[in-house]
Amino acid sequence: GLAPILGGYIMVFLNWRAIYIVFLVMLLLVMALCYWCLPETHGNVSDSDVSLGFGSQLMRHIQQYKQVMSNKRFWGYAVVYYGYTGLMLGYYGAMPFWFVGQYGFGEDSYAWLGVFSVGIYLTALMLSRWLLQRVALERLLLGGLCVSVVPILWTLACQLLGWVNPMSIVIAMCAWAVATGLVFSCANVGAVYL
């Protein structure tokens, strides 16, 4: 939620190239914090792992990946997770085109419209976490998928009736954020639970 806002201000006060410099500084800062503040969690390598040799260890890891990648249950959840991730990121990637290019918002102000959907998304994630303790995983996932119909129908109605404007886009994205918040945690748990 904060990244597009900060990026907009960097573009206005510096230029778009400065965003990459900020990324570099952030990367170096995070790497330094990880190096100095995160303890090592990997225990000592056992003698059996060392005796296997690199080739044997590599083959063992390849076999594990093959097992996961050939699992239909994993792919069922993963495809849902990837699809919803792509749609959420697609919205945030298209925001400058819509709000700056089409509706004339400033580069330092359009991103504030994304804060609503981020807040709703985070709230839906917390709701999903709470519901996962009370409702079966598949049932909650199906409910989230059904909620996805609302933003789809809203978007189609706005397009057909000529109601496309910044507010209709924000409303559609907020509705999508509810569905995504419900689906993400279920799809993630389902895929990783293996």
Side-chain angles (χ1 to χ4, degrees), residues 16-67:
W16 65 269
R17 291 173 188 88
I19 292 173
Y20 293 101
I21 295 169
V22 171
F23 279 151
L24 178 62
V25 171
M26 287 172 38
L27 169 72
L28 294 173
L29 179 64
V30 168
M31 287 177 66
L33 287 171
C34 288
Y35 180 77
W36 286 314
C37 299
L38 290 178
E40 177 62 60
T41 58
H42 190 282
N44 293 333
V45 177
S46 69
D47 290 337
S48 61
D49 287 340
V50 173
S51 67
L52 284 176
F54 177 76
S56 297
Q57 289 180 31
L58 180 63
M59 289 308 295
R60 185 177 67 191
H61 291 300
I62 289 172
Q63 290 300 325
Q64 289 171 341
Y65 278 111
K66 280 183 183 178
Q67 183 181 2

Side-chain angles (χ1 to χ4, degrees), residues 1-10 19 22-23 26 107 110-111 115 118:
L2 295 176
I5 295 169
L6 293 174
Y9 283 114
I10 291 169
I19 292 173
V22 171
F23 279 151
M26 287 172 38
E107 292 169 333
Y110 81 90
V115 172
V118 171

Side-chain angles (χ1 to χ4, degrees), residues 6-7 19 28 44 75 78 97 131-132 139 146 148 158 162 168-169:
L6 293 174
I19 292 173
L28 294 173
N44 293 333
W75 280 109
F97 169 75
L131 287 171
L132 273 172
R139 191 169 176 197
C146 291
S148 301
C158 289
S168 69
I169 294 170

Side-chain angles (χ1 to χ4, degrees), residues 1 4-13 95-96 99-100 103-116 166 170:
I5 295 169
L6 293 174
Y9 283 114
I10 291 169
M11 282 180 57
V12 168
F13 293 112
M95 278 179 67
F99 296 122
V100 176
Y103 295 111
F105 282 76
E107 292 169 333
D108 58 341
S109 62
Y110 81 90
W112 287 97
L113 296 172
V115 172
F116 301 110
V170 171

Side-chain angles (χ1 to χ4, degrees), residues 115-163:
V115 172
F116 301 110
S117 61
V118 171
I120 290 171
Y121 167 70
L122 293 174
T123 303
L125 277 177
M126 288 187 287
L127 174 65
S128 178
R129 182 178 178 186
W130 181 79
L131 287 171
L132 273 172
Q133 297 170 354
R134 291 154 180 79
V135 179
L137 174 71
E138 286 80 12
R139 191 169 176 197
L140 184 55
L141 180 61
L142 180 61
L145 292 170
C146 291
V147 170
S148 301
V149 173
V150 172
I152 293 168
L153 292 176
W154 171 259
T155 303
L156 286 172
C158 289
Q159 185 67 36
L160 293 173
L161 299 171
W163 295 347

